Amino acid sequence: MKIAVLKEGAPSERRVAATPETVKKFIALGAELAVEAGAGETASIADAAYAEAGATIGDRAATVAGADLLLGVQGPDPASIMGAPSGAWLVASLNPFGTGENGRARVDAYAAAGLEALAMELMPRITRAQSMDILSSQSNLSGYKAVLDAAAEYGRAFPMMMTAAGTISAARVFVMGVGVAGLQAIATARRLGAQVSATDVRSATREQIQSLGAKPIFVENVAGIEGEGSGGYATEMSEEYQKAQAELVSAHIAKQDIVITTALIPGRAAPRLVSDAQIATMRAGSVIVDLAVESGGNVEGAVAGEVIGRHGVKIVGHRNVPSRLAADASALFSRNLYNFLSAFWDKESGRPVLDEEIGDAIRLTKDGKIVNARLLG
C-alpha cells in the first residue's frame, strides 16, 4: 500500500501530517511511504530525515501517483491530487461544514474525483478513539499558546513580585470555555503565576477548574442549563441562563487583565461570549485572546489574523494557533493519524479496514457520492 504525505498549501499552515517517527511505523506495517518535497520544512523536518526513515521524496505529481492513501493536515486543492486513483483515501481535517471553496465545495470535489474523504475532526469522542482525536491534541497546544500570546501582548508581568521598590500584583486571567484548550490555558497561566478564574456552561467542569487551582465562576440557581452536550462538547444554553451568565460575566470581566475565550460548537458558528460593551469596561492595556476567531469569534470585533485595539484593550485573533507551534503540533497530529490507521490495519490485505462506528462518523465521500449523514441531513 502506498501512503502519500502532502505538503500543505494553506498560507498559515506550517504543520505536516507525518513525521520520520510515523513514517517508520507505517513502513513497519508494510506500507510504502512517499513524501512530497519540502513537506516538513516549516515544521523543522528536512527531506533528508524522511529519506533516512525510509520514505521516497518527490514532487506532488510523483507523490500522489498510485497512492492508495493521502495524508494531509488540511484538505488539499482537489485539482492538485487528480493523479490519485479512484477509491484512494484522503485523511485530513477537511472542514466539511465550512462555506466557500475550502469547505463543502471542496468536499463535493473530492466526491467527484472518486476519493474516499475521511474528516479527522469528526472522530467520535469515545474511549477507544481518544488517541486518534486531532481536536484534543491540537487544542491542548492552542490553550498553551494562547497564554503565551496574551503574555507577549500584555505590558505587565504575570506573577506577583515583591521587590525593594514595591510589590507588583499578579495578573488576573479569566478563561471562558473549559474544554481541552481552556484547561491547558488555566494550567499555563497558573504556572506563570497569574491569578486565574474560569467559567463554562457545563457544570461538570467546576471540579476540573478547582483541581488546577483556579476559581470557578458559575451562575447559581438558574434552571435550563443545556450545556452538557454529547461527546463532551458544549451545546446551546437556555435564554434565562444566557441572561444570568451575561450579568455575572460582565461584572467579572471588568476586573480582569487577561481574558481567553475558547468556546466552539462543532459544525456551528462560535457563540458570542464577550460584547463590545464588556470590552469597554476593562482597563487600558488589558488583553483578550479569541481562540474561536476563525469560526466567527467569541469576542465582538475580533478580526481573524490580526491583533487590534478596542477601547484601549488588545484583541488577539491569530489564525491556526496550533500551527504556530508547528513541530510539536505535527508530532501530535501525525501520531493521531497513525493511531487511527494502525488500529484498523488488516495484516492480510495490508491496508486499514474501518468499522461502522468510526468509519460512518468520519467518512464524507465514497464511490463518487456524499455519504455522511450530517452532510445529507
Side-chain angles (χ1 to χ4, degrees):
M1 182 181 194
K2 180 180 177 180
I3 299 177
V5 180
L6 305 177
K7 180 179 180 179
E8 298 301 312
S12 63
E13 187 54 76
R14 300 174 63 234
R15 295 170 291 176
V16 63
T19 62
E21 173 197 353
T22 58
V23 164
K24 290 179 182 178
K25 289 181 177 180
F26 279 122
I27 290 174
L29 291 177
E32 170 192 343
L33 269 290
V35 177
E36 185 175 355
E41 283 182 357
T42 52
S44 304
I45 306 172
D47 288 344
Y50 286 114
E52 186 178 341
T56 59
I57 311 298
D59 60 14
R60 173 62 64 94
T63 301
V64 169
D68 303 287
L69 199 156
L70 312 176
L71 299 183
V73 176
Q74 296 189 41
D77 177 356
S80 74
I81 55 172
M82 292 303 290
S86 179
W89 288 12
L90 172 61
V91 182
S93 177
L94 299 178
N95 190 31
F97 305 110
T99 57
E101 62 179 14
N102 294 333
R104 174 59 189 271
R106 181 166 282 187
V107 175
D108 289 337
Y110 296 147
L115 297 173
E116 187 166 334
L118 305 176
M120 288 296 292
E121 67 267 48
L122 300 186
M123 187 67 64
R125 287 201 161 177
I126 54 179
T127 300
R128 68 189 180 98
Q130 286 181 344
S131 67
M132 313 170 191
D133 186 355
I134 63 168
L135 294 182
S136 291
S137 73
Q138 303 302 289
S139 293
N140 197 40
L141 290 170
S142 293
Y144 164 78
K145 187 62 172 172
V147 176
L148 299 190
D149 287 337
E153 298 293 342
Y154 186 51
R156 303 170 187 266
F158 260 49
M160 182 180 75
M161 295 183 182
M162 301 180 69
T163 74
T167 300
I168 296 174
S169 298
R172 290 163 295 189
V173 176
F174 182 38
V175 178
M176 304 183 72
V178 189
V180 174
L183 289 170
Q184 184 57 247
I186 292 170
T188 303
R190 286 279 295 159
R191 285 194 291 266
L192 289 179
Q195 179 182 318
V196 185
S197 58
T199 191
D200 196 284
V201 299
R202 297 164 296 171
S203 58
T205 61
R206 181 190 295 269
E207 291 183 3
Q208 294 175 309
I209 294 168
Q210 292 173 323
S211 72
L212 292 172
K215 179 182 179 181
I217 305 297
F218 280 85
V219 173
E220 306 289 351
N221 303 319
V222 175
I225 300 176
E226 300 169 2
E228 307 286 352
S230 62
Y233 293 106
T235 58
E236 298 286 353
M237 299 174 284
S238 67
E239 289 186 13
E240 183 183 7
Y241 187 90
Q242 287 178 338
K243 181 180 179 181
Q245 188 197 43
E247 293 173 355
L248 175 66
V249 166
S250 291
H252 192 66
I253 281 180
K255 304 172 186 176
Q256 303 306 302
D257 301 307
I258 309 287
V259 175
I260 296 172
T261 68
T262 73
L264 282 170
I265 301 172
R268 302 280 295 276
R272 182 56 47 83
L273 301 182
V274 181
S275 68
D276 185 69
Q278 290 170 327
I279 297 169
T281 66
M282 299 179 72
R283 72 170 176 168
S286 299
V287 177
I288 303 175
V289 179
D290 188 346
L291 285 180
V293 69
E294 292 180 284
S295 297
N298 297 144
V299 181
E300 185 175 358
V303 179
E306 296 184 21
V307 178
I308 65 168
R310 202 172 183 90
H311 305 297
V313 176
K314 289 184 178 180
I315 304 175
V316 180
H318 291 309
R319 293 182 184 273
N320 197 350
V321 175
S323 184
R324 302 178 70 237
L325 295 166
D328 285 334
S330 297
L332 296 181
F333 192 99
S334 62
R335 288 171 193 159
N336 289 144
L337 297 189
Y338 173 78
N339 291 338
F340 161 58
L341 294 168
S342 64
F344 294 102
W345 202 270
D346 181 73
K347 292 182 179 179
E348 290 187 7
S349 62
R351 61 176 298 126
V353 179
L354 301 186
D355 65 13
E356 289 186 6
E357 183 177 27
I358 289 180
D360 290 351
I362 69 172
R363 185 182 295 108
L364 303 180
T365 65
K366 188 175 183 180
D367 299 329
K369 300 177 182 179
I370 299 292
V371 296
N372 192 281
R374 296 175 65 180
L375 293 179
L376 295 172

